[in-house]
Structures are given as structure tokens and as C-alpha cells.
Amino acid sequence: MDYNLALDKAIQKLHDEGRYRTFIDIEREKGAFPKAQWNRPDGGKQDITVWCGNDYLGMGQHPVVLAAMHEALEAVGAGSGGTRNISGTTAYHRRLEAEIADLHQKEAALVFSSAYNANDATLSTLRVLFPGLIIYSDSLNHASMIEGIKRNAGPKRIFRHNDVAHLRELIAADDPAAPKLIAFESVYSMDGDFGPIKEICDIAEEFGALTYIDEVHAVGMYGPRGAGVAERDGLMHRIDIFNGTLAKAYGVFGGYIAASARMVDAVRSYAPGFIFSTSLPPAIAAGAQASIAFLKTAEGQKLRDAQQMHAKVLKMRLKALGMPIIDHGSHIVPVVIGDPVHTKAVSDMLLSDYGVYVQPINFPTVPRGTERLRFTPSPVHDLKQIDGLVHAMDLLWARCALNRAEASA
Ligand SMILES: Cc1ncc(COP(=O)(O)O)c(C=O)c1O
């Protein structure tokens, strides 16, 4: 085989479809996020504002988090030096897991190197733990859940996004004695819509299924202690397994599950993705724990309130300009452009002409024809920066409309 030719063809296909991914090289300024510097391809530097980060609350630079990380780094050094089983379990890991278990009001928690790994490793292992397990999966579930569900081949049913009637129809048609699990998300990150948690829990109860929720885009940001949408809605006790990340609203790195002690013990003991991987560096565990603890407090609530307020203001102002935004009342602000080439062009112009950094979102992350810009206002974006963004979008929209008019004349 001509390996190089095969690689060239694969990459060319992405170019042809306008969805070749270009990484933007940025340097965040400590204490000044969302301000950053863009290291331009021409070697120059440009001041920009990051509008598409998932450091949703600015915790990645919060003094409480940085202090905990510095302290741990000085105390025990850089890496953990092993898997959890072979010298890689420390007081920092234990404290972090206790903090997470308390957050979700579960008996135990288990930390992984990412929420991707946590989803993949847990869901695939549940098939081993419960032979014949049927997994019911929302059609818009994240790639990490899909991978976990596919591994260790077993029955799966995909229900239409957030369609509980469809879920019910599928589950009712299966053997009542078969073990079952419903996997879904609380906030779907590309549209910013919410999963119907209560209705799904009702169906799970009726048909004896376990519930598995990914709260990656909700933890830290919803609920009085930041445990997510299930906490906000008083439904935490109805969820069997929580999945969350430490890398988005908590601003650090890593992922986890929280569940009964028995469930966590079994996953800990059987999941290759957990067993055979080096544990998180202690400083990371310390920073994540400090972040979760902080966001449980009234100070954390202030950040949540400010984030919601900024998201509302941005949506209101973009709507007022007639922009096609999706609004489900969450913290995510998607503006649908509907074409990969246009989306990339708008994103490029926003960056180079206005210092607004928002990455284009293309297929397969979103369906073709719904390519978009996805803005994530945070408590550390101020009203002046929101103003600057709205102004830039306004000017750019007018420029694009003018270009289209000229092209069709
Ligand atoms: C819904 C969902 N689950 C899981 C993940 C993976 O999280 P992590 O970045 O911690 O691997 C993501 C990442 O964006 C996500 O959007």
C-alpha cells in the first residue's frame, strides 16, 4: 500500500469538505483570562479574547486552585509515578474522591485521567459486570459514551434525542428480565439544551433500569453546590452513576464517576482503562479538589449567577441583532451559520480583525448544515468584552451580507 497517498487522501477529503481543523495557538495570561495572546502563523502576536473556552467559570486561574496546586507540587513533586494500584494512590487522590462523592451525595467516586476515559471505561465495563446488559443511549450522546457502549459488543438501542416516548417504546419492547441501563447527558454541549432527567428516571424506575448521566457540561455550574442539573432539580438520588469532568468548570484536568460503593469498587476492579493507566499528578488532584470545594460555597454561587447573567445578556443582544442563536436557557450560546466554509471564514475574520477567538464547530461534532460558532460567556468576561463581541458580530454580519449581495448582483 502507498501509505503516504492514503494519508494525503484522508486529509484532502477534510479540506474538500471545508472541515479540516486548524489549531489556534494561544497563550492565556495568568489572572487576566479570558484575555490571551494569539501566536499568529506569521510569527506576530495579537491580543485576543477567548470566547469558546470550556474553563466556564475561570477556575483555571483562580487563586484558590493555584495555591492548592503549588502547595502539592512543592510537597510531593510532579507525577504520581504509578497506576492507582502500583504506588499511584495518594492522600490527594483520596481527598479528591471523597470531595466528589460528597458533591453528588454518593457513597464513592473514582477519578480517571479524563471524563472521556471515565465514560469509555465505565460503560464498556458495565457490559462485563452485567452480562446481556441492554444500553439505551440518547442519539446525541458524546463520542466517549458511544465508544464505551460499542466496546465489548452487546445490545444497544439509540433513542431519538430527548425523546422519552421513543425511549419508552424501545425499553418496553425488550425482555423485562434483561439488565438495562439508560445513558444520557444533562446539558448537551453543542445546542446547550437539557436532558429530561425526571422523565428518564421515571422510565428507568418503571422498567428496572440503571441511570447513567454525563454532567460534564453542568458540574460546577448548576445546583446550589455546583453538582449539576440533577442537583438543581432535586433528582440526584435517582441517578445511579454520575460522570463529570474536572477540566471544564472546575478548570483543571481529569474526570470521574460517582456511584454506590459497590458500583465504584466493581468498576475500579474490572475497568482496563482505569487499572492500566497512570493516576493523575497529585498537584492536579489537589487543584481539582480545591476547585470543587470552592464552588460548593456561596462564593461559587456568585460565579454561577454571574455566568448565567452574562449568557442571558449575550443572547439577548445577539437576538436583537437578528442572529440565528439557539437558546435553551443554559450557559451556552450557539450561533448557527449552517455551512462549514462560511463558519470558518467568519471565525477567521473575528479573530484577525476583531481579536475575538471563537472556534468553528463542524461535522461530526454537529450535524452537517448546522455548523456554528459556539460562545461560552463566563463570569470573568466583563460587560465591556461582551460589548466588543456584539459590536464585532454586528459589523461582520453586515460585511457578509454585503459580500453576498455583491456576489449575487
Ligand atoms: C458530554 C461530554 N462528555 C465527556 C467529555 C470528555 O471530557 P474530558 O475533556 O474531561 O475528557 C466531553 C468533552 O468535551 C463532553 O462534551
Side-chain angles (χ1 to χ4, degrees), residues 70 72 76 89 110 126 163 166 176 188 192 233-234 255 330 357 382 394 408:
H70 281 298
V76 298
T89 294
L110 194 65
L126 292 178
D163 186 338
H166 190 213
Y188 290 85
D233 296 350
S330 73
Y357 173 37
D382 59 30
D394 193 14
S408 61

Side-chain angles (χ1 to χ4, degrees), residues 54 113-117 119 141-142 144-145 185 187 189 214 216-217 243-248 254-255:
N54 284 340
S113 49
S114 68
Y116 188 107
N117 285 348
N119 271 335
N141 273 345
H142 188 256
S144 53
M145 279 199 269
E185 300 182 23
V187 176
S189 68
D214 175 320
V216 160
H217 292 276
N243 167 275
T245 186
L246 305 169
K248 299 186 195 292

